[in-house]
Amino acid sequence: MHIIDETESTLRETSYDNDNNIYMVDSQLSVCPFDIIKEWYISNKIPYVNPNPKSNDALYFGNEECFFIEFKNGKIDNSVNFELNKKIYDSLLILFDLKYSDKKGNLVDSISYTRANMNYILVYNGEKYLKAGPTIQTKEGIERQKVRRKESKHRTNLYKTIRRLANEEFILFGLDQFKNYLFKNVHTYTVEEFKLYFLNKTE
């Protein structure tokens, strides 16, 4: 059995915030805790690497599509935003090197695969986002998405709603750059949005 299939946890466990001792979601959906895969990979493949690679929190393979999921309950400033990008790149490189096959037997070994089959979800704390304000990457992403808005909870939710109705999604933290490049789709969800748009459809 492949190490990814052997390494299981719940989405609840992967959403744990060590700093505040809370779980962001209470889902029992079975996922691969990719942080553990990264630690195994370092020990078995690159024991002398310095610095260590970063990793996303969870990997989920559904029947049709797969997902990398990252949970961020704390404030996302410019440095944390940069770290999100590194986690994406490092996680994909580790996954490709592990030569995993999905439920249809397709080898997960290139961005050609992830661009067609994999989605990325960042679950963030909406209240802390509003207090911290937009990062440099968020502002650049807004420019790319041609969105002009004043920073407020109501305006953010309004733009998200409008874009979703138009089959477009308002993507924060500059992560829109990875859509149609590394991933099929990219989503930045508050916990409530994650429950509505992912958990309600998956569990």
Side-chain angles (χ1 to χ4, degrees):
M1 183 179 286
H2 197 282
I3 184 65
I4 288 178
D5 294 320
E6 291 177 344
T7 311
E8 289 186 319
S9 184
T10 64
L11 199 58
R12 179 179 189 270
E13 292 298 325
T14 62
S15 77
Y16 183 66
D17 173 10
N18 289 290
D19 293 334
N20 296 291
N21 193 31
I22 62 170
Y23 298 91
M24 290 186 71
V25 297
D26 195 31
S27 171
Q28 296 302 306
L29 182 69
S30 180
V31 297
C32 172
F34 209 72
D35 284 334
I36 294 177
I37 295 295
K38 177 199 68 178
E39 295 302 325
W40 177 92
Y41 183 83
I42 292 170
S43 297
N44 289 272
K45 301 283 188 178
I46 49 172
Y48 303 110
V49 68
N50 184 27
N52 286 341
K54 304 286 185 178
S55 57
N56 296 318
D57 290 320
L59 175 64
Y60 173 72
F61 277 89
N63 292 325
E64 298 299 326
E65 294 183 341
C66 50
F67 298 82
F68 260 130
I69 304 170
E70 174 70 9
F71 294 94
K72 278 295 177 190
N73 188 48
K75 182 179 75 172
I76 300 178
D77 57 18
N78 292 329
S79 62
V80 173
N81 204 151
F82 176 80
E83 185 180 76
L84 291 174
N85 293 1
K86 180 166 174 52
K87 285 186 173 190
I88 287 172
Y89 286 118
D90 288 354
S91 295
L92 286 174
L93 289 173
I94 291 170
L95 179 61
F96 295 158
D97 197 30
L98 292 176
K99 306 296 184 185
Y100 181 72
S101 294
D102 66 14
K103 292 185 177 182
K104 294 182 179 180
N106 299 312
L107 192 62
V108 185
D109 64 347
S110 70
I111 61 173
S112 294
Y113 174 91
T114 58
R115 191 163 50 233
N117 302 283
M118 180 173 277
N119 305 288
Y120 173 85
I121 299 175
L122 172 68
V123 185
Y124 68 97
N125 185 315
E127 293 301 320
K128 291 182 180 178
Y129 166 74
L130 292 171
K131 291 178 182 177
T135 62
I136 292 172
Q137 295 93 323
T138 293
K139 292 175 181 177
E140 292 172 348
I142 289 170
E143 191 68 27
R144 284 193 296 269
Q145 294 173 86
K146 294 180 171 51
V147 173
R148 302 290 189 274
R149 53 96 167 95
K150 197 174 187 181
E151 194 63 27
S152 74
K153 182 174 183 179
H154 297 298
R155 284 184 180 272
T156 298
N157 290 339
L158 176 62
Y159 276 104
K160 279 191 170 188
T161 300
I162 290 172
R163 290 180 69 85
R164 189 169 287 117
L165 290 173
N167 291 320
E168 299 177 0
E169 185 167 343
F170 184 41
I171 304 169
L172 300 176
F173 310 109
L175 298 173
D176 60 288
Q177 65 182 308
F178 297 115
K179 182 177 179 180
N180 299 320
Y181 165 40
L182 298 181
F183 299 109
K184 182 177 181 179
N185 277 303
V186 172
H187 308 281
T188 53
Y189 290 151
T190 63
V191 173
E192 292 74 20
E193 290 170 335
F194 182 63
K195 291 175 182 176
L196 179 63
Y197 298 112
F198 180 77
L199 291 181
N200 287 352
K201 297 177 181 179
T202 307
E203 290 183 314

